[in-house]
Amino acid sequence: MENHHASEMNGVVAEYLNMCIESKHNDLCKKEKDSKDSADADRLCNIEKAYSTVLSELGEDVDREGLLRTPLRAAKAMQFLTKGYKETTQDILNDAIFDENHDEMVIVKDIDLFSLCEHHLVPFFGKAHIAYLPNKKVVGLSKLARIVEIYSRRLQVQERLTKQIASAISEALEPAGVAVVIEAVHMCMVMRGVQKMNASTVTSVMLGSFHDDPKTRKEFLALTMRK
Amino acid sequence: MEHSKQTQYSSNEKKDTGDGGSVLNGHFDGMVKRPAGGTVRASAPQPLGAECGSHRSAASVMESWREERTRSVEDNEMSLPSLAAAYTTILRGLGEDPQRQGLLKTPWRAATAMQFFTKGYQEKIIDVLNDAIFDEDHDEMVIVKDIDMFSMCEHHLVPIFGRVHIGYLPNKRVLGLSKLARIVEIYSRRLQVQERLTKQIAVAITEALQPTGVGVVIEATHMCMVMRGVQKMNSKTVTSTMLGVFREDPKTRDEFLTLIRS
């Protein structure tokens, strides 16, 4: 009977201990979240102050009505434009890979793309065309566009952006081949510097059969670069 | 309303206290002098139209132009280090590593780029226009269209770009055509709101030439709407300012709008 009583006590104690651990865990989680939130808020505050400095150093009147909340808006805009740093392909791709017995080319083209030039912090934008030759695994089509978003919403160089998109698809799907073509207009060339209005930059990355087989590449280019 | 705040950088003439309107950016006080179709401004009697509350003489017009400059090339050089430091803070705040190779000189490049995008604060209409006003006996519409325009949204510090179409009906005085594009440059290379930009261009041409009428139409894409926020890729914003006979006579306005469409 003592044993029974002891085991009952053990059960109660165990339960109590579990509750303690759980609440401590929740507390820790909350603290972590709070500290993460406050770290985020701190960062936003720093960026906001930096933008205030920028406005006054440019000779503007920071107290005029139109500029009163601009540092905050600009800081939030900049955070949005670089939100790709916080996202990973794993987060978005894990559920959307399907087994499918399809081995013909899949192309998603004219994906609007917006990024920031890492050299001048000025936007560049254009279109991305992605193709892959599935090897028993296909991916949800919008996920290709989401991969573009993850890597483009960062401080980027167009060459690296193209390569990152191609590598991400390659690693996730292990297809027979991947091709990515990006055609973009760089505001740093249009609005300043050489000021060439109509110039655009085209970069491409070909992996697997797109790289090895010229016919595959030709088919892809014919299907996407049609005007 | 008088904008009398002096920034530490304005080493130029003091603000004029006499005139009632100013085109200093952000303070467009709406005192648009309608062209009276007359000759010397000093003798212009009553201003036309309901909004004109101030009577501006020729001298005050010139002085309002003089007020425009708030920045000089030396100011740019002096503010470059603090601008670069601010951009380094921004890079760090975004979670990037300012020491990596691609970002090493970015603060300086971004600071210089931003100064270029706001170089309209360094320039004066008077410098650009003084020599290029000619007496010409021409009173038909003159249009310069499809002038590429690049500006910065003053709310998000993100680019705005588009096209400007300008038309005016000369009244014995014509302007060198590229000067219209230069006026666009001066006002667009600032932190702007599209409505204000349109009006500033129209008023500057009015003040320079006293034409019978001026029409300005701007069609632009706002990256703050395309790249973030609502994310509407194909949206365009169109604003227009019609002064003088362009406002009063619908046929003139129609002719202008038809010609810029074609």
Side-chain angles (χ1 to χ4, degrees):
Chain A
M1 192 162 102
E2 251 181 41
N3 277 348
H4 177 68
H5 188 65
S7 72
E8 230 180 61
M9 282 300 294
N10 274 349
V12 169
V13 166
E15 225 177 81
Y16 176 70
L17 278 175
N18 274 343
M19 271 173 54
C20 282
I21 292 172
E22 203 181 285
S23 89
K24 231 188 210 163
H25 180 72
N26 282 346
D27 272 347
L28 273 173
C29 275
K30 184 169 181 290
K31 247 189 209 153
E32 210 178 275
K33 185 169 182 291
D34 278 347
S35 71
K36 196 160 166 248
D37 281 345
S38 72
D40 276 344
D42 276 341
R43 270 194 286 265
L44 187 64
C45 201
N46 288 340
I47 305 178
E48 194 185 334
K49 282 193 207 125
Y51 270 116
S52 272
T53 314
V54 167
L55 287 179
S56 54
E57 294 288 337
L58 290 175
E60 261 284 6
D61 170 14
V62 285
D63 294 323
R64 69 173 171 90
E65 192 209 3
L67 292 187
L68 271 181
R69 290 179 60 211
T70 291
L72 180 61
R73 281 186 293 242
K76 284 194 178 157
M78 204 45 144
Q79 281 190 328
F80 179 85
L81 297 176
T82 53
K83 68 180 166 73
Y85 288 123
K86 301 200 180 120
E87 299 161 356
T88 66
T89 26
Q90 243 130 353
D91 296 333
I92 57 155
L93 278 187
N94 267 344
D95 302 332
I97 299 182
F98 308 104
D99 296 315
E100 197 73 35
N101 200 4
H102 181 84
D103 59 358
E104 298 288 336
M105 204 183 291
V106 177
I107 303 178
V108 178
K109 60 178 189 160
D110 293 329
I111 302 172
D112 286 308
L113 174 157
F114 299 93
S115 191
L116 277 176
C117 157
E118 74 177 16
H119 299 141
H120 301 93
L121 301 185
V122 172
F124 68 91
F125 52 88
K127 289 186 195 275
H129 312 288
I130 300 179
Y132 71 103
L133 275 165
N135 183 14
K136 305 281 183 272
K137 285 197 268 188
V138 297
V139 72
L141 298 170
S142 76
K143 304 300 178 270
L144 293 171
R146 286 191 191 271
I147 293 179
V148 170
E149 273 284 293
I150 287 181
Y151 289 110
S152 61
R153 297 285 186 185
R154 299 181 179 192
L155 301 184
Q156 275 287 9
V157 160
Q158 194 176 327
E159 296 86 336
R160 184 195 313 137
L161 171 60
T162 324
K163 195 155 213 145
Q164 283 173 323
I165 296 173
S167 308
I169 300 172
S170 212
E171 281 167 15
L173 295 179
E174 290 145 345
V178 180
V180 178
V181 171
I182 296 184
E183 188 176 341
V185 170
H186 291 244
M187 290 277 102
C188 52
M189 262 182 78
V190 170
M191 281 179 79
R192 59 165 289 289
V194 278
Q195 297 190 63
K196 295 294 177 190
M197 310 292 152
N198 302 316
S200 65
T201 307
V202 181
T203 52
S204 65
V205 168
M206 309 281 171
L207 300 176
S209 348
F210 286 93
H211 185 266
D212 302 329
D213 181 6
K215 289 209 194 90
T216 316
R217 202 183 318 152
K218 203 170 165 195
E219 183 186 338
F220 165 62
L221 293 174
L223 287 170
T224 50
M225 303 309 266
R226 226 177 344 159
K227 290 288 168 192
Chain B
M1 193 174 85
E2 243 301 82
H3 177 64
S4 57
K5 175 167 178 169
Q6 297 258 12
T7 70
Q8 46 178 309
Y9 300 111
S10 74
S11 46
N12 302 319
E13 298 90 325
K14 287 199 175 308
K15 309 280 188 272
D16 183 355
T17 51
D19 58 316
S22 133
V23 294
L24 254 183
N25 224 35
H27 277 268
F28 190 78
D29 297 324
M31 301 296 178
V32 175
K33 171 89 176 126
R34 292 267 184 73
T39 50
V40 180
R41 289 184 63 75
S43 67
Q46 301 296 341
L48 303 167
E51 308 106 289
C52 298
S54 72
H55 177 62
R56 303 175 63 168
S57 66
S60 74
V61 163
M62 301 310 247
E63 282 171 63
S64 88
W65 287 357
R66 219 178 292 158
E67 293 171 19
E68 286 172 14
R69 183 187 288 178
T70 60
R71 216 168 80 183
S72 68
V73 175
E74 294 81 33
D75 292 335
N76 279 356
E77 278 169 26
M78 284 197 319
S79 40
L80 207 53
S82 10
L83 269 174
Y87 274 110
T88 312
T89 313
I90 292 172
L91 286 178
R92 245 184 237 117
L94 294 174
E96 263 284 8
D97 169 21
Q99 299 305 312
R100 72 170 170 89
Q101 190 213 32
L103 295 184
L104 265 181
K105 288 177 70 195
T106 292
W108 293 90
R109 281 186 292 241
T112 330
M114 202 46 142
Q115 286 184 332
F116 181 87
F117 296 145
T118 52
K119 69 178 168 66
Y121 294 128
Q122 295 167 219
E123 297 159 353
K124 297 192 302 191
I125 298 281
I126 240 181
D127 292 335
V128 150
L129 288 188
N130 246 351
D131 302 332
I133 298 179
F134 308 103
D135 297 313
E136 197 73 37
D137 192 11
H138 183 82
D139 60 357
E140 298 288 334
M141 204 181 291
V142 177
I143 298 179
V144 178
K145 59 178 190 165
D146 293 329
I147 303 171
D148 288 307
M149 177 276 293
F150 300 94
S151 189
M152 289 296 264
C153 161
E154 74 177 17
H155 299 140
H156 301 93
L157 300 185
V158 172
I160 302 171
F161 54 88
R163 295 194 154 159
V164 183
H165 312 284
I166 301 177
Y168 73 100
L169 268 168
N171 184 14
K172 305 280 186 276
R173 291 161 69 175
V174 298
L175 184 62
L177 298 170
S178 76
K179 303 301 177 271
L180 291 168
R182 286 186 193 274
I183 294 178
V184 170
E185 271 285 291
I186 288 183
Y187 287 118
S188 61
R189 298 285 187 185
R190 297 182 178 193
L191 303 184
Q192 273 290 9
V193 160
Q194 192 176 328
E195 296 86 336
R196 187 196 311 137
L197 170 60
T198 324
K199 198 151 213 165
Q200 283 175 323
I201 296 171
V203 166
I205 300 171
T206 308
E207 288 179 351
L209 295 179
Q210 292 94 51
T212 324
V214 176
V216 177
V217 173
I218 299 186
E219 199 178 315
T221 306
H222 291 239
M223 289 271 97
C224 53
M225 264 182 79
V226 168
M227 280 181 82
R228 61 164 290 289
V230 279
Q231 297 190 64
K232 295 294 179 188
M233 311 290 151
N234 302 317
S235 66
K236 283 201 162 82
T237 308
V238 181
T239 51
S240 64
T241 299
M242 304 287 173
L243 300 178
V245 84
F246 279 77
R247 179 179 281 212
E248 278 138 29
D249 180 10
K251 290 213 190 82
T252 314
R253 201 184 322 146
D254 273 344
E255 184 187 338
F256 171 57
L257 294 174
T258 313
L259 286 171
I260 61 175
R261 295 256 168 276
S262 61

